[in-house]
Amino acid sequence: MQRTNKTKTRTDYKIRATINSDRAVIPQPLSGRAFGTAAICTVLLMVATIASWAQVVSPNFGSVPTGLATDEVLRLTFSEAINRALRYNLGAIESGENTRTARGQRLIALSYLLPQVSAGISENVDQVNFTALGLGAVKIPGIPKVVGPFGYTTASASLSQTLFSCESIQRFRAARTAEQAAQLSYKDTLDVITLTVGNAYLEVIEAHSRIEAEEAQVENAKALFDQAVDEFQAGTSPRIDVTRTEVQLHTEQYNLSVARNNFAVAKLTLGRAIGLPLGQTFEIADQLPYADINPPTVDDALKMAYSSRSDFRSALSSAKSAEQALSAAKGQRYPVVAVNGDYGDQGPTFGQSHGIFGFQAGINVPIFTGGRIKGDITQAEAAVRQRKAEAENVRGQIDYDVRTAFLNLNAAKEQVDVAHQNVDLANDNVTRSKERFAAGVTDSVEVVQSEQSLASANDQYITSLYSHNLAKLALARAIGVARTNFSQYLGGH
C-alpha cells in the first residue's frame, strides 16, 4: 500500500481564516456544534465497529499506571502512545498472563509423559506388640511378646514412567495447540489495543481543534458585539442588534467551556488507556494531517486479513485443540502401559546397611467405567462443534469488518471533500454578510446566521477529518496490521 498526498489545502483539523476587518475575524479553527446527519451516521457506525472488537466495558480501556508524575509537560506522539499501551494496557497484561497460563497447562500435560523421579531418606524407630497382633498366645522360645524399640535408616530413589497412554499424548497435543491459540489471541489483543488507543488519540486531536475553533468563535462574536454596541451608540443600529450579538457571544462562551471540558476528559481517557503516571500532564505532539491512501482492493484485503488476522488464526487453533481433546477423551479406552521401581539402602546404620529394590510393570485396561468415558467424549464433541462455529463466525466477522472499513473510508473521503467546499462557501457568505452589515444594508440577524452556518461547516470538516483518520486505522485493524503498519495507514510519524 502506498500513500499519496492530495494537493488540496487540507493540513489538519483547521481551515484557513478570512479576515474582513480589524474587528471581525472569521475563525481559523473549527467550531464545535451539531454534526451533519451523514457525518453522525458514519461516526456512529465506526464506533459500533470498534465496540464489536473491544467492547465498551473492556480491559483494553484500562491500564496499570507506571512511574511517577513529573512537573515537566510530556509531549506524547502517536507512536509513543501506542507503545506505552502495548506495555501497560490492562488488556495486554491480562492477555499476556493468559498466554503464560496456557504455557503452564502445556507443561503439566507434558509431565504425564515424562519420567517422575524422587529421592528421600528416612529414620525409623519401631516397637512391635505381638499380643496386639494376635500372636501373644503363641509362645516361641527366645522371642518376647514385645519387640523393640529398634530403629533403621533408609535412603532410596524411585522412578515411575508411563510408557504408553493415548490419552496423555493427545492431551499434551491439545495443550500445546491451546498455547499457540493463546499466543495468537495475545497478538490480536495488541491489534485491538492499537485501534482503541489510536481512536482515543484522534479524539484528543479533535477535541483540541474544537477548543481552538470555539476560541476563535468567541473572539469573532466579541468583535461583532463591540461593533453593534458602537453602532447603537452612534445611533445607526437598533438596540435589538446589541442584544442579539450579546446572546451569540454568551452562546459561544458556553460552547467554549464545553469544548475545554471535553478536551480534558479526552486526555484523561487517553492517559488511562496507556498507563501514564497518575497526575502526569501531557500534550499531543502529532496532529495527523489529512493524507489520502491507496488501499488494496477488497478481494486482496480479504486475502490479507484471512492470513494475518490473529483472532482468526487463534480460532482455528482453538478448534484444532478441541479436536485433539476429543481424541484424548477417546484415548481413555486404550490400555495404559506403565512401570515403576525404586532402589535404596537400608539398615540399622549406613555402615550395616544393605541394598533393597522393587520393580513393577503393568498394563491397565479399562473395562467398565460407568459411562464416564462416554460422558467425556460427548462433552468434547460439543466443544469441537462450538470451536468450529466460533471460527466460522470470525471468518464472517472478518468479511464484515473489511467491507465495512472500505465503506467508511470511501464515505469519509467524500465527506472531507464536501465539507471542505462547504467551508469555502460559508467563509464567502460570512464575508459578504459582514460587508452588508457594515454598510447598513442588513441587520445582525444575517451575520449571526452566516456565522452559525460557518460554524456548522467547520464542525463537519473536523468530524470528516476525524472520521477519515479513524476509517484508515479501522481498515488496518480489519486487515490485521494495525499494530505493525498504523503509521503507514495514518500517514503520521
Side-chain angles (χ1 to χ4, degrees):
M1 185 200 68
Q2 296 179 347
R3 179 169 62 89
T4 59
N5 294 322
K6 288 285 188 178
T7 58
K8 299 179 180 179
T9 58
R10 288 172 281 179
T11 57
D12 53 19
Y13 290 96
K14 305 176 184 177
I15 58 174
R16 60 184 182 276
T18 301
I19 302 177
N20 187 56
S21 67
D22 56 353
R23 287 191 176 187
V25 180
I26 305 304
Q28 294 184 16
L30 303 121
S31 171
R33 282 177 175 74
F35 303 152
T37 302
I40 291 177
C41 293
T42 301
V43 173
L44 290 180
L45 181 58
M46 285 190 288
V47 170
T49 303
I50 294 175
S52 69
W53 289 326
Q55 300 181 359
V56 176
V57 181
S58 168
N60 297 338
F61 291 91
S63 65
V64 178
T66 304
L68 298 176
T70 63
D71 296 333
E72 181 182 359
V73 178
L74 176 65
R75 286 185 55 81
L76 187 67
T77 66
F78 189 90
S79 296
E80 290 171 347
I82 296 299
N83 292 334
R84 284 193 64 92
L86 297 182
R87 292 196 303 269
Y88 305 123
N89 186 274
L90 182 60
I93 294 174
E94 289 187 346
S95 184
E97 296 305 319
N98 289 338
T99 301
R100 291 183 177 88
T101 299
R103 184 180 304 119
Q105 293 173 345
R106 175 182 62 83
L107 294 175
I108 292 174
L110 177 61
S111 68
Y112 290 101
L113 300 175
L114 299 178
Q116 306 294 307
V117 181
S118 61
I121 184 170
S122 63
E123 180 71 26
N124 299 273
V125 178
D126 295 328
Q127 181 172 281
V128 181
N129 185 354
F130 289 112
T131 302
L133 298 177
L135 301 177
V138 181
K139 295 182 179 180
I140 303 176
I143 298 180
K145 293 181 179 180
V146 177
V147 178
F150 60 92
Y152 60 94
T153 302
T154 303
S156 64
S158 62
L159 178 146
S160 62
Q161 170 71 62
T162 300
L163 299 180
F164 175 79
S165 173
C166 181
E167 177 189 6
S168 297
I169 293 173
Q170 292 300 326
R171 292 203 183 281
F172 166 69
R173 292 175 177 174
R176 182 176 57 188
T177 306
E179 181 188 7
Q180 296 171 355
Q183 292 172 345
L184 292 170
S185 179
Y186 172 69
K187 293 180 179 179
D188 180 69
T189 299
L190 299 183
D191 223 35
V192 173
I193 290 173
T194 300
L195 175 63
T196 303
V197 174
N199 177 58
Y201 196 97
L202 293 176
E203 287 180 344
V204 174
I205 295 176
E206 183 190 27
H208 182 263
S209 298
R210 295 192 188 283
I211 288 181
E212 294 179 337
E214 288 304 333
E215 288 175 345
Q217 287 295 116
V218 169
E219 293 179 1
N220 193 50
K222 181 65 168 56
L224 185 61
F225 171 70
D226 292 341
Q227 183 177 350
V229 170
D230 292 342
E231 293 182 358
F232 170 73
Q233 293 176 347
T236 59
S237 178
R239 175 68 183 178
I240 187 63
D241 284 340
V242 177
T243 303
R244 187 181 295 117
T245 55
E246 186 176 8
V247 170
Q248 180 68 14
L249 174 60
H250 292 164
T251 300
E252 298 300 344
Q253 290 172 339
Y254 174 86
N255 291 335
L256 176 59
S257 176
V258 172
R260 286 173 175 170
N261 181 72
N262 291 340
F263 176 65
V265 172
K267 289 181 66 177
L268 287 176
T269 301
L270 176 60
R272 182 77 181 90
I274 64 177
L276 282 180
L278 299 179
Q280 176 66 53
T281 58
F282 72 95
E283 61 182 21
I284 54 176
D286 292 334
Q287 293 299 319
L288 298 179
Y290 178 86
D292 200 3
I293 60 173
N294 286 328
T297 64
V298 174
D299 291 337
D300 290 340
L302 286 172
K303 293 179 182 178
M304 293 171 59
Y306 289 134
S307 62
S308 60
R309 279 278 290 261
S310 297
D311 54 345
F312 182 54
R313 296 163 59 195
S314 176
L316 294 178
S317 295
S318 296
K320 182 180 178 181
S321 177
E323 292 176 345
Q324 292 168 335
L326 174 59
S327 298
K330 294 179 178 179
Q332 297 179 79
R333 292 173 172 170
Y334 295 100
V336 177
V337 181
V339 297
N340 61 77
D342 60 81
Y343 180 84
D345 199 37
Q346 188 178 71
T349 63
F350 284 119
Q352 299 176 312
S353 63
H354 194 278
I356 58 174
F357 69 90
F359 178 80
Q360 181 182 9
I363 298 178
N364 183 29
V365 181
I367 297 176
F368 177 74
T369 60
R372 177 182 59 81
I373 296 178
K374 178 61 177 177
D376 290 343
I377 293 175
T378 301
Q379 290 181 336
E381 289 174 341
V384 169
R385 289 191 292 269
Q386 288 176 336
R387 300 294 89 77
K388 288 184 176 181
E390 291 169 357
E392 289 305 310
N393 175 67
V394 175
R395 185 192 300 272
Q397 185 66 42
I398 289 176
D399 182 87
Y400 172 84
D401 292 344
V402 170
R403 296 183 187 277
T404 301
F406 271 94
L407 290 174
N408 290 336
L409 180 61
N410 293 333
K413 182 179 179 181
E414 293 175 359
Q415 291 165 12
V416 170
D417 293 335
V418 174
H420 187 265
Q421 296 174 8
N422 285 342
V423 168
D424 291 338
L425 294 174
N427 269 318
D428 183 66
N429 185 40
V430 169
T431 301
R432 296 181 183 277
S433 296
K434 287 184 176 294
E435 291 174 351
R436 287 163 56 85
F437 179 68
V441 178
T442 185
D443 57 13
S444 61
V445 174
E446 180 179 328
V447 181
V448 170
Q449 289 178 343
S450 64
E451 288 179 349
Q452 291 175 344
S453 297
L454 175 62
S456 177
N458 287 342
D459 188 76
Q460 291 177 3
Y461 186 62
I462 283 182
T463 303
S464 65
L465 288 175
Y466 164 77
S467 300
H468 188 259
N469 276 329
L470 181 58
K472 291 188 291 183
L473 190 60
L475 176 61
R477 157 58 189 162
I479 296 177
V481 296
R483 179 171 58 92
T484 55
N485 293 351
F486 62 84
S487 59
Q488 182 181 1
Y489 279 77
L490 288 178
H493 300 290

